[in-house]
Amino acid sequence: MQRSLVASKQAEQQGISVEVIDLRSLVPYDWQAIVESVKKTNKVIIAHEDSLSFGFGAEIAARIADELFEYLDAPVRRVLRAGYFCRLRA
């Protein structure tokens, strides 16, 4: 969360308006806060410390793309923290 806040401040210094949502809890997560933010900003970047594929961020991205597509001006993007590695077990 801290890195997201730092990045948002850097973006705002460059004239880019940013809204950061801290879900705090994944079960249940605050879907209404996500809906309101998407309708307000029309863009989404999901930053999380999990694998890019098959993680909770992917599920949120899929739900946003499915249920809020008409409000999006660009595809939902997911980013990971630098150096994060997740091994899939066989």
Side-chain angles (χ1 to χ4, degrees), residues 9-40:
K9 288 182 193 259
Q10 290 173 345
E12 287 176 352
Q13 290 173 350
Q14 297 176 15
I16 301 169
S17 177
V18 177
E19 181 172 281
V20 177
I21 299 174
D22 182 1
L23 293 179
R24 297 274 176 185
S25 167
L26 295 178
V27 179
Y29 63 93
D30 190 353
W31 175 246
Q32 192 57 41
I34 295 170
V35 170
E36 290 170 11
S37 182
V38 170
K39 287 181 178 181
K40 178 180 172 185

Side-chain angles (χ1 to χ4, degrees), residues 34-84:
I34 295 170
V35 170
E36 290 170 11
S37 182
V38 170
K39 287 181 178 181
K40 178 180 172 185
T41 65
N42 305 105
K43 294 184 174 114
V44 177
I45 296 176
I46 297 173
H48 61 110
E49 295 185 11
D50 196 356
S51 61
L52 188 61
S53 300
F54 314 112
F56 203 79
E59 290 300 317
I60 292 174
R63 186 171 179 191
I64 291 169
D66 184 48
E67 296 182 28
L68 302 173
F69 180 79
E70 64 191 270
Y71 300 102
L72 294 171
D73 289 342
V76 176
R77 292 290 186 214
R78 292 173 288 146
V79 296
L80 304 175
R81 74 174 167 91
Y84 183 78

